[in-house]
Amino acid sequence: MATEDRPTPEQLPAPAASNITPQALASFREELDTREHDVVDDTWAGSMPAQNGVPPRVRIGRTKWFSLLWLIPIGFVLLVIGIAVAKELREVPAVAQFVERHPGTVVPEGAEGVAGFPAWVGWQHFFNMLLLIPIIRSGLSILADHPRLYWTRHSTPGREWFRMQKPVPTDPLYTAKQDSITLPNGVGLPSRRHSIGLARWWHLGMNTLWLLNGLIFYILVFATGHWLRLVPTSWEVFPNAVSVMIQYLSLDWPTDNSWVAYNSLQVIAYFLTVFVAAPLAFLTGLGMSPALSTKFRRISSVFSIQFARSVHFLVLTWFLLFIVMHVTLVITTDALHNFNMMYANRNDADSWHGFWIFAASLVVLTVVWVAVTPFTYRHPRLVQRIGYALIGPVQRLFEHIDSKPGQYTEKDISPYLWHNGKYPETQEYKDHYENNFADYRLRVSGLVENPMELDLKQLRELPYHEQITQHFCIQGWSGVAKWGGISMQTVVDLVQPKPEAKWVVFYSFAEGSDEGIYYDAQPIEQMSYHLTMLAYDMNGEALPYGHGAPLRLRNEVQLGFKLVKWIKGIEFVEHFSELGGGEGGYNNDHEFFGYRQSI
Ligand SMILES: Nc1nc2c(c(=O)[nH]1)N[C@H]1C(S)=C(S)[C@@H](COP(=O)(O)O)O[C@H]1N2
Ligand SMILES: [Mo]
């Protein structure tokens, strides 16, 4: 046949319009980075260079900032003045009489019968210290990832009450990730900038053990009568505590009767630490969970995540002050006797038994302190696995919470929502953007009956879904926005997942911080939750570039990093282990985050 007999493409009719094209069958998985990352070195997390913060400061009034370093000289001066005043006071007859009448210790009825320190007290005390080291250090690393504290859910720059970072730059696309700071080695766990994924495994994992230790302590304390030492049982405790304070400050210390009962200042301090601060740490920790905050809307609309985060930090300062005071007083008041009581259950002030056990425990604590960071850098996957084994069941449990919309109204919308992540830089995306996404097609593929491609017009013709919800970034900032688009259930209804489909993968136009495109996998159950949607509008306008144009995910039981922006495709799969690094998402593969992040 002669060539001129062949039809040109224009002479042929186009195939009937259909959403099912050959492209619609393809997955984006070949664009993922499939390397195994199993050490934390300089190239990790997009080779972020170290960045130091500034000494912590607190805002006074609207724009004045007070450096907390001043507290060192101020505290010293106050201490000297306090000592001088207390010494003077003790010369005053009325005060001398007061001290005589309230010598410092109230011995509750029955305390004599349970005097001494059984072995479990010593062990619990040791485990408590052991666990608090990684808990406090990893907590500081979490704070360093967003080194600002606020009182309201709007994390508006300039409105924070505390910061360890310079003021937020005016660049409108400045990201929270850029805002993270490095901590001095040996302080954070780990101290490297933006190591929050690993810090969280340490923090949440060790917290479960710490709470377990605390629960056992509560039970034993009340089962044995040891509680008589920790709970004030008469109003006499208060004047006695004042008396102890005066005696300590005047450097003429009260007589010690710790074998039977602590002095009143100790009782109050221990009571506050064990029965107020520790439970508050737990509750404020839960207050930072997106799933719980969206569920318990009454509580969370008064006590927001930022309130919880700020109080959580204040509890930490209490713990740190307590530890400093406690250790100072234990060592300066009859140290050998104290060591004997706590570590050897002996009421003797001269032998070295308790001291040696204390010294041995100190060796263990020091080794742990020094080893945890290098261990974490060498075996980050192991830290991720062990952390997940410890806290994963709870994260899984909270994922079942399918909250109703309506928690917030227009007036709750935040004036500023931080940006995060790496912006799309590919030519493909830029072309779409220039072209106002006219050629954009959302590709939905994988284990579905009807794979399809949908353009923005088709997406906008589907039933409209709107919600005003709060965003919880893993780094700690939050904010409320109104999202408009389609419910994920609508997509599920259109494409009809096959029974084997268990996970839904969202692919982005944007690369992650290293190589390969950003992606995240989520359980298929959550696709039918009330608050799981694809947004193409934000706060009443088309979704802007920085927040994920043309399409982004919202799934309000999860932390922000799972809410993929600049979505180009969705794939239904059997399990995420087939994809990328196999951990269920870009940050899980590269920065050791977790794939269930309801807390
Ligand atoms: N493609 C892509 N999506 C992403 C990220 C990213 O780096 N790449 N960052 C995530 C993180 S960590 C957060 S907190 C939210 C931030 O959304 P926002 O910038 O709209 O506030 O987007 C998420 N989606
Ligand atoms: Mo985030």
Side-chain angles (χ1 to χ4, degrees), residues 104 106 231-242 263-265 267-268:
V106 183
V231 182
T233 48
S234 98
W235 295 109
E236 267 302 292
V237 160
F238 295 100
N240 276 285
V242 173
N263 72 48
S264 293
L265 195 62
V267 173
I268 292 175

Side-chain angles (χ1 to χ4, degrees), residues 420 473-475 560-561:
N420 221 355
C473 173
I474 192 169
Q475 296 183 266
F561 75 87

Side-chain angles (χ1 to χ4, degrees), residues 247-268:
Q247 294 179 65
Y248 274 140
L249 273 177
S250 65
L251 305 182
D252 178 5
W253 291 356
T255 38
D256 190 83
N257 189 20
S258 295
W259 184 253
V260 176
Y262 294 125
N263 72 48
S264 293
L265 195 62
Q266 284 178 298
V267 173
I268 292 175

Side-chain angles (χ1 to χ4, degrees), residues 28 39 81 192 194 355 362 368 396 455 482 484 497 510:
F28 289 104
V39 280
I81 295 175
R192 214 173 268 259
H194 194 48
F355 172 81
L362 217 52
V368 167
R396 239 183 142 108
D455 62 29
K482 180 166 84 175

Side-chain angles (χ1 to χ4, degrees), residues 418-422 471 477 508 518 547 552 560 563 565-566:
W418 279 76
H419 285 102
N420 221 355
K422 181 152 172 198
H471 182 95
W477 57 270
S508 179
Y518 195 89
H547 292 298
R552 74 162 309 157
L563 311 185
K565 300 191 284 188
W566 311 291

Side-chain angles (χ1 to χ4, degrees), residues 89-106 236 239-247 250 252-255:
L89 274 179
R90 290 198 73 171
E91 303 300 321
V92 177
V95 176
Q97 273 170 22
F98 172 78
V99 170
E100 209 165 302
R101 242 181 305 123
H102 305 284
T105 305
V106 183
E236 267 302 292
N240 276 285
V242 173
S243 165
V244 172
M245 187 99 84
I246 296 171
Q247 294 179 65
S250 65
D252 178 5
W253 291 356
T255 38

